[in-house]
Amino acid sequence: MGYKNGKEILPIELIRQIQKYVDGENIYIPKKEETHKCWGQNTDTRMLLHRRNTEIYQRYLKGDRVVALSEEYHISTQGIYKILSKQKGK
C-alpha cells in the first residue's frame, strides 16, 4: 500500500474538513465495495495453494506419512491435518 500526500490529490476544503477529525494522523480510506477484490484475485497464490493442497492430499491417500509431508512442504503437522480435513470435505 502506498501513501499519497493529501495536498497533491485533495481539494483544500476537504483537507480542512479532514483535519477537524484527524489532524496530522495517518488514516486508511477503503476501496469502494464494487472495486474491492478478493484475496488472491490479482495473483496466482490461490491457484498455487489449491494445487499444493490437492497434491498433499493425493500423496497422503497413496500412503505418505503426515510427518514426511510436513517436513517436505515446510508446514506443521497441524497444518497438514487441516489441509487433509479440508480436502476430504470437498
Side-chain angles (χ1 to χ4, degrees):
M1 167 175 35
Y3 292 94
K4 298 190 185 314
N5 187 332
K7 289 181 182 178
E8 296 172 4
I9 58 173
L10 300 173
I12 190 68
E13 303 83 33
L14 183 55
I15 290 173
R16 287 189 180 125
Q17 281 291 343
I18 293 170
Q19 286 171 332
K20 289 179 183 178
Y21 299 94
V22 286
D23 191 21
E25 298 290 327
N26 291 325
I27 62 170
Y28 170 75
I29 300 174
K31 289 185 174 191
K32 295 180 280 187
E33 191 70 30
E34 60 271 12
T35 60
H36 188 291
K37 295 184 179 177
C38 296
W39 178 85
Q41 196 170 352
N42 285 342
T43 66
D44 294 335
T45 304
R46 184 179 289 203
M47 178 195 63
L48 293 173
L49 288 175
H50 174 73
R51 189 180 302 156
R52 180 204 67 185
N53 294 348
T54 301
E55 183 178 299
I56 289 171
Y57 185 63
Q58 293 301 317
R59 289 185 55 188
Y60 175 77
L61 292 177
K62 290 180 183 175
D64 285 13
R65 298 181 62 217
V66 169
V67 173
L69 293 169
S70 172
E71 291 172 358
E72 183 174 338
Y73 288 94
H74 306 285
I75 301 171
S76 69
T77 54
Q78 293 93 341
I80 295 291
Y81 282 119
K82 190 181 290 186
I83 290 168
L84 296 175
S85 175
K86 287 182 180 179
Q87 289 291 315
K88 184 179 181 182
K90 288 184 177 184

